[in-house]
Amino acid sequence: MLVFFGIARFCGLALLCAVLMAPATAVAGQGRVALVIGNQAYQHLPRLTTSRKDAQAVADALRRLGFAVTLLTDASSQAFQHAVTSFAQQARSAETVVFYYAGHGVQIDGRNHLLPVTARLDLVSSGTEESWKLDSVVAQLQASNAQVLLFLDACRAIPMAGNSGAQAGLAQMQTRAGTFISFAARPGAVSFDPVRATGHSLYTAALLRYVEQPGLSVSDVMIKLRNDVEAASDGQQSPWDQSSLRAQVYLHPAAARSTMPSFAVQNSDAATPPQPEATPNCTFVLVALVCR
């Protein structure tokens, strides 16, 4: 009989420990998806120098943060449309959705277009060549209840002469609640594409510097990113963002866990010595009960 009750108490406490430990492991990597695109080898527009490397580095960082990542480089219009359609379906069951794009972008009559590597701007401006309309992309991703984060390193300077309705840089957008958009430069302004020691654009180099830091919300990342890019460009480039998020978003898994109850998280900044981990405590108690 004593053995029976000992086993029952063992099972009950084991279940309790499993419940208490679950939040700390379930937050990271659950419902986190990303589509990352880097277009560099343009055929009719100035070729870029860092976009593929930028996209690869961002994809690697997001994978380390627990995202399921789809990476696309030097994409044609058809490849992009297929990727977005598939990704939008994947995003329907996600909690956090990230879309990153490095390449050429332009606003035409106030509407933002992302350009495939085969694009000719005169044909895009006249509406005779298919481009990637950013508001359509956002609308597909907003079909879910996820928090949608867009990072657009797409404000490079491109030839504008003779292109009716085309304007430099990108325009602010109307989006529904739950959306965050980060632009490499302020509305209507262009960014730079220098080859620095990092081999990345100013915007993406700063993004990579902070995106994996624990404890930083997306808003915190943007403030640090903006300061770094403005300093590196002598104030000529100022990243911009617009947000209608419902809550702060933390991309680092440890930061996400910090929102859990105190029994599941240790405060690394606390003055008191760290407490023993939960798992050894549970194991000790359970062994003691079995021995009785």
Side-chain angles (χ1 to χ4, degrees):
M1 182 65 70
L2 289 176
V3 173
F4 173 82
F5 282 113
I7 294 174
R9 294 173 68 182
F10 176 92
C11 295
L13 282 175
L15 178 60
L16 176 60
C17 284
V19 171
L20 292 180
M21 293 297 291
T25 57
V27 173
Q30 293 292 320
R32 296 156 69 88
V33 297
L35 175 59
V36 177
I37 300 173
N39 279 355
Q40 181 169 318
Y42 283 89
Q43 301 173 19
H44 308 291
L45 295 172
R47 295 169 73 93
L48 300 175
T49 57
T50 67
S51 296
R52 282 197 297 262
K53 185 174 180 179
D54 290 341
Q56 182 65 65
V58 169
D60 292 342
L62 291 173
R63 289 190 182 104
R64 288 191 294 269
L65 291 171
F67 281 81
V69 178
T70 300
L71 174 63
L72 193 63
T73 58
D74 289 335
S76 66
S77 183
Q78 293 79 5
F80 176 86
Q81 297 294 355
H82 175 74
V84 169
T85 300
S86 299
F87 182 67
Q89 292 295 323
Q90 185 183 12
R92 289 182 183 274
S93 59
E95 297 174 359
T96 305
V97 175
V98 169
F99 176 88
Y100 169 91
Y101 173 81
H104 278 309
V106 64
Q107 58 169 309
I108 300 174
D109 296 326
R111 192 177 188 187
N112 294 326
H113 296 249
L114 307 180
L115 303 182
V117 292
T118 55
R120 288 180 49 185
L121 191 54
D122 56 333
L123 299 181
V124 173
S125 300
S126 66
T128 58
E129 180 175 297
E130 185 177 7
S131 62
W132 312 328
K133 299 176 179 62
L134 185 56
D135 53 359
S136 297
V137 173
V138 174
Q140 291 185 65
L141 300 183
Q142 288 178 332
S144 67
N145 290 322
Q147 301 276 60
V148 179
L149 314 176
L150 294 95
F151 298 90
L152 305 173
D153 198 354
C155 307
R156 274 84 168 193
I158 54 179
M160 307 300 294
N163 296 305
S164 176
Q167 298 174 271
L170 298 180
Q172 294 195 71
M173 300 176 59
Q174 296 294 323
T175 61
R176 69 162 176 79
T179 306
F180 175 92
I181 305 179
S182 170
F183 301 92
R186 68 177 65 90
V190 298
S191 62
F192 300 91
D193 190 34
V195 177
R196 298 275 177 134
T198 62
H200 296 295
S201 72
L202 294 181
Y203 172 86
T204 296
L207 178 64
L208 292 169
R209 193 173 300 127
Y210 299 113
V211 73
E212 293 185 81
Q213 287 192 12
L216 294 182
S217 68
V218 171
S219 298
D220 295 329
V221 170
M222 277 305 302
I223 291 172
K224 292 178 176 293
L225 181 156
R226 184 179 299 113
N227 290 337
D228 281 11
V229 172
E230 287 182 346
S233 65
D234 295 325
Q236 297 182 67
Q237 180 178 341
S238 181
W240 209 258
D241 62 89
Q242 61 179 82
S243 175
S244 60
L245 292 176
R246 300 183 182 90
Q248 289 287 8
V249 175
Y250 297 85
L251 294 178
H252 194 288
R257 287 198 296 270
S258 69
T259 62
M260 301 307 297
S262 58
F263 61 76
V265 179
Q266 284 292 334
N267 181 359
S268 59
D269 296 327
T272 56
Q275 299 298 314
E277 294 183 2
T279 301
N281 282 344
C282 287
T283 304
F284 175 81
V285 172
L286 296 176
V287 170
L289 285 173
V290 171
C291 291
R292 290 180 184 178

